[in-house]
Amino acid sequence: MAVGARSGHDEPEDRPERGESPAGGAAVPPEGEGDAPGGGEPPKAKKQRSFWVELPLLIGIALILALLIKTFLVQAFSIPSDSMQNTLQRGDRVLVDKLTPWFGSEPERGEVVVFHDPGGWLEDTATPEPNAVQKFLSFIGLMPSSEEKDLIKRVVAVGGDTVECKENGPVTVNGKSLDEKSFIFPGNTPCNDKPFGPIKVPEGRIFVMGDHRQNSLDSRYHQELPGQGTVSNDEVVGRAIVVAWPLGRWATLPVPDTFDQPGLNTAVAMAPAALGVAGAVPLVLWRRRRLTAKRTAG
C-alpha cells in the first residue's frame, strides 16, 4: 500500500475561501448571493433618470411656484416716474405685498401703495409695446407688466377722513397737521402747486399724494372725476414693503411717525360714540316717561 494514499471520500487539504476559485474550477459565490429567491433572476437596480430628463419638470414646478407667488404673495413693480422722489427713484424695483388684502386688510394712512388706474389718470401716457419674452416674464411675476397701467403713491387719508391743504399750509387730516419733512422731496411745499379741500373721503376709498409734490399728478389733480380724485380700495394691488433693486438702494418702506400721532383718528372714533349716544337718547326718554307715569299714578 502506497504511503500517503487517501480514500476518495477524504476532504482536500486546502478548502477554497468564499469567492475564490478552486483549482481548475469556477468561483464559488458566497451563500445567499447570486441566486434570487425561488431561483429566478436577481432584481435589477432602478436606473436613475437623467438630469436633462428631469430639467423640464423642475422648470415647470419653478414657473408654477413663481406664478402662485405673484398672484397671492408678492409681486415686483418698476418705478416709472419721479413722482415719489426721494423715497423712490425712477427705475427702482419694489416688492408689493399682495397677501394681506386677501385677509381683508385695507390701505392705511402713510402706506405706499400700488393701484390700478382708476380711470382717466393715465389716459395720455404712452404704453410701450412689450416683446414676447417680456410678456412671459411679466406673466410669471419676474418682471413688472408694461401693459397694465399702474401707479404708486402714498396714502394720505382713508374713508371717513376729511383732508385739506391750503396755500403755504400743511396737509391736515381730521384737523391734524401732518409733519411731512421726513418724506416729501427737499424744497417742495406740501401743496402750493395745487391747494385743495376740504374733501371728505368716501368710505372704501383713499386719497393719495406723491412724495415729490411738485411733480406728481395725484388725487389733487383729478377732483373732477367720480370720488373727487380718490381711489377705490378695490383698485389697490397692495402695499409696497421694500425697495429690492438696485441692491445699493435696498430699504424698507415704513409708515412715517406723523401718521401715528394722537388724535388723527378722532373723527373716525367719534362716529361709533355718536351712534351710541343717538341710540341711548330714546331709551333715556322712554325711561323718564315711565317714571313720570308711575309717580302720577301714585
Side-chain angles (χ1 to χ4, degrees), residues 277-295:
V277 171
V281 167
L283 182 61
V284 171
L285 292 176
W286 173 79
R287 187 171 181 275
R288 289 188 63 183
R289 285 182 188 146
R290 186 176 178 185
L291 291 173
T292 302
K294 283 184 178 181
R295 288 171 187 162

Side-chain angles (χ1 to χ4, degrees), residues 156 163-165 169-173 176-178 180 190 196 209 213:
V156 174
V163 60
E164 180 180 13
C165 185
V171 176
T172 64
V173 178
K176 292 289 183 178
S177 299
L178 299 180
E180 304 181 290
F196 63 92
M209 300 176 74
R213 294 291 161 80

Side-chain angles (χ1 to χ4, degrees), residues 175-192:
K176 292 289 183 178
S177 299
L178 299 180
D179 182 0
E180 304 181 290
K181 295 185 183 69
S182 65
F183 57 88
I184 68 170
F185 189 75
N188 275 195
T189 60
C191 66
N192 278 6

Side-chain angles (χ1 to χ4, degrees), residues 8-292:
H9 299 288
D10 290 338
E11 292 284 339
E13 290 183 3
D14 296 318
R15 298 183 62 185
E17 297 291 333
R18 290 184 180 179
E20 293 182 1
S21 301
V28 179
E31 292 181 5
E33 294 184 18
D35 292 326
E41 290 291 327
K44 294 182 178 179
K46 189 175 181 180
K47 186 178 180 181
Q48 188 174 5
R49 286 186 293 185
S50 166
F51 169 76
W52 298 108
V53 174
E54 293 186 346
L55 183 60
L57 178 62
L58 295 174
I59 293 175
I61 293 173
L63 292 179
I64 291 173
L65 289 175
L67 183 58
L68 290 174
I69 290 172
K70 168 206 168 183
T71 304
F72 299 106
L73 298 178
V74 294
Q75 185 176 0
F77 285 85
S78 176
I79 306 304
S81 70
D82 301 325
S83 68
M84 282 297 293
Q85 288 180 321
N86 274 338
T87 304
L88 299 172
Q89 302 290 345
R90 185 192 296 261
D92 283 354
R93 282 354 184 229
V94 297
L95 297 182
V96 174
D97 169 25
K98 301 179 71 175
L99 177 63
T100 51
W102 285 90
F103 295 94
S105 175
E106 295 186 348
E108 297 183 3
R109 302 182 199 93
E111 293 180 346
V112 176
V113 296
V114 171
F115 56 94
H116 299 311
D117 182 1
W121 287 40
L122 295 174
E123 59 183 8
D124 297 327
T125 303
T127 303
E129 183 63 29
N131 57 39
V133 175
Q134 290 173 326
K135 287 182 178 180
F136 176 72
L137 293 176
S138 298
F139 175 72
I140 63 175
L142 297 180
M143 183 176 178
S145 174
S146 59
E147 294 179 312
E148 294 180 358
K149 292 186 175 182
D150 297 322
L151 302 97
I152 184 165
K153 306 288 181 189
R154 189 180 299 276
V155 180
V156 174
V158 297
D161 288 344
T162 298
V163 60
E164 180 180 13
C165 185
K166 297 178 180 179
E167 190 172 358
N168 296 323
V171 176
T172 64
V173 178
N174 299 327
K176 292 289 183 178
S177 299
L178 299 180
D179 182 0
E180 304 181 290
K181 295 185 183 69
S182 65
F183 57 88
I184 68 170
F185 189 75
N188 275 195
T189 60
C191 66
N192 278 6
D193 57 314
K194 187 71 172 177
F196 63 92
I199 295 174
K200 179 78 170 180
V201 182
E203 292 294 339
R205 303 183 73 87
I206 55 176
F207 189 94
V208 298
M209 300 176 74
D211 289 355
H212 194 166
R213 294 291 161 80
Q214 274 68 73
N215 192 17
S216 175
L217 297 179
D218 44 43
S219 289
R220 298 171 293 162
Y221 288 87
H222 303 287
Q223 295 181 43
E224 76 285 354
L225 298 175
Q228 288 185 277
T230 59
V231 179
S232 171
N233 290 351
D234 295 335
E235 298 288 350
V236 176
V237 177
R239 175 187 174 183
I241 53 177
V242 66
V243 180
W245 188 265
L247 292 179
R249 283 189 42 77
W250 191 98
T252 57
L253 297 170
V255 173
D257 292 339
T258 189
F259 292 97
D260 293 326
Q261 62 178 297
L264 199 62
N265 290 317
T266 299
V268 179
M270 285 177 62
L275 290 174
V277 171
V281 167
L283 182 61
V284 171
L285 292 176
W286 173 79
R287 187 171 181 275
R288 289 188 63 183
R289 285 182 188 146
R290 186 176 178 185
L291 291 173
T292 302

